[in-house]
Amino acid sequence: MVYELYGALGSPYSMKLRALLRYRRLPHIWRDGAATREALAQVRAPVIPVLRYPDGHYDNDSTPVIYDLEARHAERRVVPDDPAQAFIAHLLEDFADEWLTKAMFGYRWLEEVDQIQMSRWLAFDNMKGGGLERSQAFAAQFRDRQVSRMALVGCTRENFPLIEASTFAVLDALEQHVVNRHCLFGTRPSMAEFGIFGQLSQLGTDPTPQAMMRARYPYAYRWLAHIDDMSGVDGEWEAGFAPVVAELVRIAGEVYAPFLLANAQALEDGAETFAMEAMGLPYRQGTFKYQAKCLRELRHRYRALEPAARADADAVLTPAWLALLQAS
């Protein structure tokens, strides 16, 4: 019973799922490069990673895949047993997937040094041969396409001060935490660690953010190598919330909660763009239906909590989060 994961080293969501499969000790084959093209034809949205299940079906939305694997395999689950912790782990994973990814995209495609190296590396990864001239020609085309998408995903120079400030805040929190322990909810990793790792794994590779991490956050940088393969880790969930969890929830409440609210309101109003301010910095981008879906899912999971579990979650949720989650 073997899974096949079709992805790429330069894809944060591919690295997220590969690390999760490794930790869960689920037998799998990693396939990248040209092999991914056939798998992309098997899914509705042609984006990696794509997971081929042992029964032959395919899926490629990383968060639902995590929950599906939880239902299929009892051992080494990554959703905490405690319902309040499970909700907060989901919230932090969602924050990583939908907000921290902007740091990955911005660092990779805003500055020429990163554009050149990473477009060439990504072409090299995809083509695996064929000569340097052909590879670099493809890299130039790919670079132009990605740079043209910057405004669409909100990674403009005008927005990047907020994106970078929130990323520094996350890295500050991790740097202080990981010198004491690697995990957030005990001595075993949750879905939150894998979501955060996926995005930061790219910052640890690209020239500009890698230099920044090595200089300012050396232990958070090294932590990435450990999360990449935790197959040898055996641990337990621990009661309560570590200070780092409360701090990450606070940071997410400062930037991601108003982002979700502004996007949802713009969609309701029929607007094509929205603007907000967070951490004293401006932000503007086009509306996205997928982020509205994320908000609905967060509200659904919050409202499904039993009163005692909801009270436990409320203890770490900031007023911004409570207002967002409790709204009708």
Side-chain angles (χ1 to χ4, degrees):
M1 199 172 87
V2 178
Y3 290 88
E4 295 183 27
L5 182 63
Y6 296 82
L9 297 176
S11 159
Y13 305 99
S14 297
M15 301 304 284
K16 166 190 174 183
L17 276 189
R18 191 176 75 168
L20 181 135
L21 289 171
R22 286 172 168 177
Y23 167 70
R24 298 210 57 184
R25 299 176 186 164
L26 296 177
H28 64 281
I29 298 169
W30 167 255
R31 300 193 186 279
D32 62 354
T36 63
R37 288 193 275 276
E38 182 178 341
L40 288 172
Q42 306 298 321
V43 290
R44 181 178 300 177
V47 292
I48 55 174
V50 177
L51 185 66
R52 184 182 187 274
Y53 283 68
D55 64 7
H57 86 274
Y58 296 77
D59 201 350
N60 70 329
D61 192 335
S62 64
T63 302
V65 163
I66 288 174
Y67 283 112
D68 186 53
L69 294 176
E70 292 284 296
R72 292 169 181 266
H73 303 284
E75 300 300 320
R76 299 176 69 80
R77 290 174 173 165
V78 297
V79 176
D81 295 334
D82 178 80
Q85 289 185 339
F87 173 76
I88 297 298
H90 176 95
L91 182 150
L92 292 177
E93 189 247 14
D94 188 60
F95 165 62
D97 278 1
E98 306 303 326
W99 180 265
L100 283 184
T101 195
K102 297 180 185 301
M104 181 282 300
F105 204 86
Y107 275 120
R108 179 164 290 174
W109 301 114
L110 276 174
E111 301 300 334
E112 187 176 46
V113 62
D114 301 282
Q115 292 176 11
I116 292 172
Q117 175 172 303
M118 295 316 300
S119 62
R120 290 179 177 179
W121 276 13
L122 296 175
F124 172 83
D125 294 347
N126 183 266
M127 300 176 71
K128 293 187 174 178
L132 186 61
E133 183 178 350
R134 180 168 173 261
S135 174
Q136 291 195 358
F138 176 80
Q141 296 173 10
F142 183 72
R143 172 186 172 185
D144 289 344
R145 187 185 75 179
Q146 294 300 93
V147 171
S148 72
R149 297 181 66 242
M150 296 293 283
L152 178 67
V153 296
C155 292
T156 62
R157 290 195 181 276
E158 294 75 17
N159 288 342
F160 201 67
L162 174 60
I163 294 168
E164 187 170 57
S166 59
T167 303
F168 287 167
V170 168
L171 288 169
D172 280 333
L174 286 175
E175 186 74 7
Q176 295 177 49
H177 176 75
V178 299
V179 295
N180 296 306
R181 58 170 53 192
H182 281 183
C183 299
L184 301 179
F185 297 93
T187 54
R188 59 188 289 181
S190 75
M191 63 191 299
E193 284 91 326
F194 293 111
I196 294 168
F197 161 77
Q199 304 304 324
L200 297 185
S201 70
Q202 305 306 299
L203 272 60
T205 301
D206 296 14
T208 298
Q210 184 194 65
M212 174 272 292
M213 288 188 71
R214 290 174 70 100
R216 296 180 57 165
Y217 308 106
Y219 294 104
Y221 173 76
R222 191 61 174 169
W223 177 79
L224 299 175
H226 291 273
I227 303 300
D228 188 42
D229 191 342
M230 300 191 80
S231 57
V233 171
D234 294 300
E236 303 293 337
W237 304 120
E238 295 180 0
F241 292 102
V244 67
V245 173
E247 177 62 6
L248 291 173
V249 171
R250 185 197 66 77
I251 297 163
E254 193 169 0
V255 292
Y256 187 47
F259 169 84
L260 288 174
L261 180 61
N263 180 68
Q265 187 61 57
L267 283 169
E268 185 177 330
D269 295 341
E272 294 184 356
T273 64
F274 67 90
M276 68 168 198
E277 184 175 295
M279 302 178 77
L281 296 166
Y283 184 89
R284 177 183 296 274
Q285 76 160 68
T287 54
F288 268 82
K289 291 182 179 178
Y290 190 84
Q291 274 79 50
K293 176 183 175 182
C294 293
L295 176 55
R296 290 194 297 271
E297 182 68 12
L298 282 167
R299 284 173 170 165
H300 170 75
R301 290 183 178 277
Y302 178 76
R303 291 165 184 165
L305 292 171
E306 295 293 334
R310 190 180 303 176
D312 289 341
D314 288 351
V316 292
L317 290 169
T318 62
W321 275 122
L322 292 171
L324 183 70
L325 295 170
Q326 294 172 359
S328 57

